[in-house]
Amino acid sequence: MTATDTTIDVAGLTKRYGRQIAVRDVDLTLRAGECVAMVGHNGAGKSSLIKLMLGLTTPTEGSLRVLGADPSSAAAAEVRRRVGFLPENVAFHPAMTGRECLDFYARLKGLARAGNDALLERVGLEPAAAKRRVGTYSKGMRQRLGLAQALLGDPRVLFLDEPTTGLDPALRQGFYDIVRERRDGGATVLLCSHALTELEGQADRVVVMNRGRKVAEGSLSTLRTLARLPVRIRLTVAEEAYGALAAAAGGLTRLPGGVVELVCANDDKVDVVRRVTCTGVALTDIDIVQPSLDDMYAHFLRQDAAE
Amino acid sequence: MHSMLIIAGKELRESLRNRWVVATTLLMAALALTLAFLGAAPTGTVGVGRLEVTIVSLSSLTIFLLPLIALLLSFDAVVGEIDRGTMTLLLSYPVARWQVLLGKFLGHATVIAIATTVGYGAAGLALRLSGTEIDAEGWRALGGMIGSSVLLGAAFTALGYLASTAVRDRGTAAGLAVAIWLLFVLLYDMGLLGLLVADGGRTVTAEVVNWLLLANPADTYRLFNLTGFQNVSLYAGTAGLAAQVQVPPAALLAVLAAWVAGPLALASFLFSRRQI
């Protein structure tokens, strides 16, 4: 990993608004070609961190470099040309059409407007919709226009703040397809969300934020190991076999639909499955449920609160 | 520079789109034409100099109306965009904050300029077409009034921008805009008059009054239009005053321009330090 791979470097970053601390002592390094998800409650400091990275606010303490420059310095204009941003609840000027909006933003980035039709098509805004005023747009269409402007000029860094709120599942899938495409093209994607379940399989790394602090960081599997949350094994089995199962594997929880659940540590799961199959009980189905991102998130928050 | 013009162009286009330009231009033209043809009635059958009469009444009305339009147009310009969230997005683009502020200002000032020039120009043209004799001095006076009206509008637009960047809330910005209007357009003159009466000419000399008038863009505008042209001041009844005013017209215009630049520079400074 060379230094040029690093696109964003945050060290000891703190941001205070009066007496309220929005971000406290955060260290974070993001590299080219990775998609990092930042998760946390509303007010956990995700948006504040993004605003700092965009140079909209200035740090109270600590250092911050985006694409090698301080984003709040005068030199940041050049940096912002290579950055894309989709704000939470993106808003546009309602009197302008979708196409006009995109043209305006393209001109500000010093780009030719020729590629804009293709870009609108890529995010799924029909030519007829692009000719309508933004004031008439649905939430999903506004979000798509928001994504289109964030993708202008093939940015090296993409900040997406709660990008999929208000999108239906089909749109969400298309959205993540575009994000993956950009990441594979070498861009750094920083994704903020509290819709945790949909981040599984999208993010290379997850950063858990709570009350302005970074409480955990790592890939999903690293976080799973760190959290040491139990694995649930769900078995569909005839009721007569419950006794034999309980003897082999310990405590059972009955779930509706003739399903029983065994809870064990991640490292023990293979052993438990072996013991269950050795009893000779006729299993109709077996399902191993890993702790979800939601579970881990809840765990890290509990841990943070306990400290 | 380029980014500033892009933003100004967008602002102007939006104003065209949401009918601000049409509405203000029609308002100005209707006002100017009404005053041109009805406002001259008190002077009876005297045909000559109707343009000068129109200029007197029109500039008096401009002092009330134009600052109001300018403040209405501008008080929401910054705080509103921050509120709606469009400012966050705009500032994530490669533009400096002063470029955003000046660009938007330029767009709004252009709206005022179009409305004033077309509206008042239409009145001058209508007078000419209806057979009124207008000499070169008259045209100059009309041109001077249009130009200084644009400056006056720009000054109050700049003050509106200052209000818009100084506060965090749209309601407060609106209140501040109303306060600015009341202060400069109504209360200032009343206060000045009260001061003069109370003082009885002992300490407040003509020179002090001159300076006090320059400290208000609306009064500076009034001085320029009512004393700057001889024929006009004759009708305005300010010929005596004109003799007292030692400030040349060019200096009055410079003062108006300073009233544009000053608030704008302060607004730009406040905006550059603002945490969004």
Side-chain angles (χ1 to χ4, degrees), chain A residues 86 123 138-145 147 162-176 198:
Chain A
L86 172 58
V123 297
S138 68
K139 165 82 181 156
M141 291 165 80
R142 270 209 308 276
Q143 205 67 13
R144 277 184 271 186
L145 182 59
L147 182 63
E162 306 284 355
T164 56
T165 41
L167 294 190
D168 62 54
L171 277 179
R172 245 171 240 200
Q173 221 42 55
F175 197 95
Y176 282 116
E198 64 179 63

Side-chain angles (χ1 to χ4, degrees), chain B residues 29 34-35 71 74 79 88 117 121 127 130 135 152 156 161 173 183 190 192 200-201 238 241 247 252 270:
Chain B
T34 313
L35 285 177
L71 287 167
S74 59
V79 79
T88 325
T117 312
L127 279 176
S130 66
D135 56 3
L152 179 74
F156 276 90
Y161 268 78
L183 173 73
M190 285 188 208
L192 195 58
T238 49
L241 177 65
V247 192
L252 288 171
L270 288 178

Side-chain angles (χ1 to χ4, degrees), chain A residues 30-70:
Chain A
L30 303 185
R31 286 174 285 272
E34 71 173 345
C35 174
V36 176
M38 193 151 58
V39 300
H41 287 308
N42 288 329
K46 297 169 293 172
S47 297
S48 299
L49 204 52
I50 287 190
K51 281 181 178 182
L52 284 164
M53 289 175 181
L54 285 167
L56 295 176
T57 54
T58 47
T60 314
E61 274 165 46
S63 81
L64 170 63
R65 299 198 85 70
V66 175
L67 295 170
D70 174 1

Side-chain angles (χ1 to χ4, degrees), chain A residues 36-40 45-50 85-86 88 158-165 176 189-196 198-199 207 209:
Chain A
V36 176
M38 193 151 58
V39 300
K46 297 169 293 172
S47 297
S48 299
L49 204 52
I50 287 190
F85 172 45
L86 172 58
E88 187 178 1
L158 259 178
F159 296 112
L160 307 173
D161 196 352
E162 306 284 355
T164 56
T165 41
Y176 282 116
V189 183
L190 182 63
L191 209 71
C192 274
S193 187
H194 42 219
L196 301 179
E198 64 179 63
L199 289 175
V207 173
M209 299 283 295

